[in-house]
Amino acid sequence: MRRAHVRGPGAQGVGKDRELAHSSVPAAEDTTSGTARDGERVPRQRRQGDGGGRRGRGDGPRRAGGRRRHRILRWSAAVLAVVIVGTAGAGYLYYRHLNDNLRKDDLNIGDKKDRAAAPRANAAGQTPLNILLIGSDARDSKENQKLGGAKDTYGTAPRADVQMLLHVSADRTNMSVVSMPRDTLLAIPECTDPDTGRTYAASTSAMTNASLERGGPGCTVATWEKLTDIHIDHFVMVDFAGVVSMADAVGGVPVCVDAAIYSHTSSGHGSGLKLRKGTTSVQGKQALQWLRTRYGFEDGSDIARTKAQHMYMNSMVRQLRANATLSNPGKLRALAETATEALTVDDGLGSVAKLYDLSKELKKVPTERITMTTMPWVYSSDGNRVLPRPTDAAKLFRLVREDIALDGKDKKKTATPTAAPEPAHSDDRIAVQVQNGTRTSTLAPVGGRASAIAALLVGKGFDKATADSSTLPVRDETVIRYADAALEGDARRVAKVLGIPAGQVKRSTDVDGVTLVVGADWRSGTKYTSADSDDTTPKSAGALNGADTKACMHVDPDYTW
């Protein structure tokens, strides 16, 4: 496959384990059978119940001489580390050559109506920065085969088995990372491959990692925007070679386990990771094993693996920012070669200069203001997949969307209300259709809810409020939609009377007139309580601070030695 093509250096195999040996990338699973690509069944007995390079390469700018040339060439110690954890280093690199290494792909290839609006600038003219980090499970080269095994999947379309949304605040004082479990079932929008022109139909329920095989990383971006309503500025897709080289370049990354661990089963599964209790500096093959370990960490789930990846990334950024050995020109050059060969980016990041500019922005964030989280989730009905956790997932996405720090250290922001247009009609002439969207991933819809709220509106003077007898798919948040600009004032008037925030009033081509969708956040009662009043990060997100040096992975007693 063109997008998954890897030109990085070779790597040694990691034994018989067929779990995907991708840097922080778990093995992909079939979205219908419930089995992994490598033939493993998703473990159910020990679970936490809650909880080629496409379109061308950059030609590069014209060569410049002397001091100016060197100033331009000086950039990140490791491009991969820059885009993941905001670390900038030093080194003189071959600018044009490195530009040629970078692969580029389209940013968003989904349906235009599903795209999230760009955030408004703050009073200082600054805007947040959202970057989607994607880890591909491509097995299209000898190097990938050595590390990933699963020869029967050679040459198949890659999947996005690691997805992390990196959000940098508008004022660059804090950074939030939200990981999505690879097994998440969600809606994937219609995507059109810009190379072949093939259009992939929208899916109402598919595993999130399948988005990558529907036209490329631009479809994964479109899927995130549809789910979260967060505008994504860039994406970076990586393979395993960059992470392994980074671990070697920094002389190892410290990781901790609370007991001796050996990730290995009698049937040959497991990453092969073998560590003593306490803190060990891992690099190369051992670092890769840490990132792909599932058997042996906590409940053996992908959620636990994500937690281990967060610990590694936090430790790596601390190590990079404190490690003076990265000034070695030879190491830097080799690292830059590997890192740029391992990256696929959107056109907006399609040169070393643009990546350097990005690194300068990321570097402004102090380590103690980096917060790693996982999308709150619940198990699906069959226990083999996960779904966004009602209310908590929507809340986490809102905090990111509204640029609210997940570490709780932001000063309370007082929003300046925007002037609402005057209603076009009096209350008794505003036609409001009420729909029941109270279904959740685990609960049936509340019967008669649309009728109850329609009656509430009639009692408040909205005589033309009516109930729609149908029930909708999962809707975490109550929203009011209006068909065209002339009805915005009417929709805002309904929201004001019910106490629904203006941010939940949205224009939509999917409705006629004004439509109130009663969501899972208003399953009972006549008074709507907005989640906007609570800006704390949900505990179910498992927040981990970047400066936490005491974090340690819990080892399953069945995998100790």
Side-chain angles (χ1 to χ4, degrees):
M1 300 295 293
R2 65 167 197 273
R3 290 183 179 84
H5 182 64
V6 176
R7 299 185 310 280
Q12 296 302 313
V14 289
K16 297 180 180 180
D17 179 17
R18 288 189 173 184
E19 284 186 76
L20 171 65
H22 185 292
S23 64
S24 71
V25 180
E29 298 185 0
D30 187 333
T31 59
T32 56
S33 68
T35 56
R37 274 188 168 184
D38 51 22
E40 297 177 26
R41 170 67 67 176
V42 178
R44 300 178 59 179
Q45 67 275 20
R46 282 196 300 272
R47 304 192 300 253
Q48 49 185 86
D50 260 333
R54 106 168 194 72
R55 266 119 19 222
R57 313 197 172 269
D59 293 330
R62 289 170 294 179
R63 295 183 183 274
R67 290 178 174 270
R68 180 172 176 274
R69 176 172 175 271
H70 279 181
R71 284 198 301 269
I72 293 174
L73 297 186
R74 182 177 178 86
W75 75 301
S76 162
V79 175
L80 185 63
V82 167
V83 297
I84 292 180
V85 291
T87 302
Y92 294 99
L93 307 173
Y94 294 107
Y95 184 76
R96 186 183 298 253
H97 171 68
L98 294 179
N99 275 348
D100 289 343
N101 280 349
L102 290 168
R103 303 173 183 84
K104 293 180 284 292
D105 220 310
D106 286 13
L107 175 61
N108 190 316
I109 59 174
D111 193 322
K112 290 182 179 180
K113 70 180 179 63
D114 294 318
R115 296 182 183 178
R120 295 180 180 178
N122 61 17
Q126 303 164 305
T127 55
L129 186 61
N130 294 307
I131 306 166
L132 187 63
L133 310 178
I134 304 170
S136 164
D137 77 343
R139 294 182 173 95
D140 62 343
S141 68
K142 291 181 179 179
E143 291 81 10
N144 277 340
Q145 283 297 308
K146 288 178 181 178
L147 287 158
K151 294 181 179 179
D152 57 321
T153 63
Y154 183 87
T156 57
R159 295 180 181 178
D161 273 3
V162 166
Q163 299 174 37
M164 296 183 180
L165 179 63
L166 187 156
H167 171 85
V168 187
S169 65
D171 60 9
R172 305 303 190 251
T173 62
N174 66 87
M175 184 189 301
S176 303
V177 177
V178 179
S179 291
M180 185 185 296
R182 64 164 184 170
D183 294 338
T184 303
L185 291 177
L186 42 64
I188 298 179
E190 176 183 289
C191 292
T192 301
D193 189 319
D195 280 349
T196 66
R198 176 181 176 182
T199 296
Y200 295 81
S203 173
T204 57
S205 181
M207 273 179 58
T208 183
N209 67 351
S211 60
L212 184 61
E213 62 187 1
R214 301 187 185 202
C219 192
T220 305
V221 169
T223 300
W224 270 80
E225 289 204 358
K226 180 177 177 63
L227 174 69
T228 67
D229 201 27
I230 296 170
H231 176 79
I232 295 176
D233 301 286
H234 302 291
F235 76 80
V236 177
M237 187 164 68
V238 300
D239 62 25
F240 58 83
V243 170
V244 173
S245 295
M246 170 56 63
D248 285 336
V250 300
V253 174
V255 295
C256 176
V257 287
D258 66 2
I261 181 174
Y262 183 31
S263 177
H264 181 74
T265 69
S266 57
S267 58
H269 295 308
S271 69
L273 179 70
K274 191 171 186 179
L275 298 175
R276 296 184 181 278
K277 177 181 178 180
T279 299
T280 304
S281 182
V282 297
Q283 61 187 100
K285 173 182 173 181
Q286 200 172 44
L288 191 60
Q289 289 173 335
W290 173 276
L291 291 167
R292 55 192 284 268
T293 292
R294 176 157 59 90
Y295 294 108
F297 282 158
E298 299 189 347
D299 63 352
S301 70
D302 287 316
I303 309 300
R305 173 153 50 189
T306 298
K307 183 177 178 181
Q309 292 164 5
H310 289 170
M311 289 184 185
Y312 179 92
M313 290 168 67
N314 280 340
S315 184
M316 182 168 65
V317 68
R318 293 195 301 267
Q319 192 77 352
L320 283 166
R321 290 183 173 183
N323 195 335
T325 63
L326 291 178
S327 59
N328 183 305
K331 288 185 177 180
L332 285 176
R333 178 173 176 176
L335 181 60
E337 291 278 354
T338 301
T340 52
E341 287 181 346
L343 294 177
T344 300
V345 298
D346 64 281
D347 289 333
L349 291 179
S351 71
V352 171
K354 291 175 180 178
L355 287 170
Y356 177 50
D357 289 341
L358 173 62
S359 78
K360 291 191 295 184
E361 294 299 298
L362 300 175
K363 172 177 155 178
K364 295 174 183 177
V365 181
T367 306
E368 61 271 16
R369 296 299 310 277
I370 298 174
T371 305
M372 300 278 180
T373 64
T374 299
M375 179 197 77
W377 57 275
V378 293
Y379 277 105
S380 60
S381 57
D382 65 2
N384 284 326
R385 302 287 181 262
V386 300
L387 302 163
R389 185 185 181 95
T391 306
D392 281 7
K395 181 181 180 182
L396 184 66
F397 297 147
R398 177 184 67 80
L399 294 177
V400 174
R401 190 167 56 245
E402 297 181 3
D403 198 22
I404 298 171
L406 299 186
D407 60 8
K409 295 178 181 178
D410 266 354
K411 293 181 180 179
K412 189 68 177 179
K413 300 176 181 178
T414 303
T416 303
T418 56
E422 291 295 320
H425 306 91
S426 59
D427 291 355
D428 62 340
R429 296 184 60 202
I430 297 176
V432 185
Q433 184 181 56
V434 184
Q435 296 179 327
N436 186 349
T438 57
R439 182 193 306 274
T440 76
S441 55
T442 57
L443 298 173
V446 178
R449 191 62 181 149
S451 297
I453 300 304
L456 173 66
L457 281 169
V458 170
K460 291 181 179 292
F462 292 88
D463 297 343
K464 292 190 174 183
T466 59
D468 182 343
S469 60
S470 63
T471 56
L472 304 180
V474 175
R475 166 60 66 180
D476 284 338
E477 188 177 63
T478 296
V479 296
I480 298 177
R481 295 170 173 164
Y482 59 94
D484 56 63
L487 295 174
E488 182 179 359
D490 290 356
R492 292 279 196 105
R493 172 61 184 164
V494 175
K496 182 177 180 180
V497 169
L498 294 177
I500 297 172
Q504 291 166 228
V505 179
K506 302 178 181 180
R507 185 172 178 176
S508 173
T509 57
D510 294 334
V511 300
D512 295 318
V514 176
T515 299
L516 165 62
V517 182
V518 184
D521 58 349
W522 198 13
R523 288 174 60 87
S524 62
T526 57
K527 182 179 180 181
Y528 181 74
T529 302
S530 172
D532 288 0
S533 59
D534 178 14
D535 289 342
T536 58
T537 301
K539 290 184 179 180
S540 54
L544 179 65
N545 185 270
D548 185 353
T549 59
K550 296 182 180 180
C552 205
M553 283 302 295
H554 174 64
V555 176
D556 182 339
D558 290 342
Y559 290 88
T560 59
W561 58 281

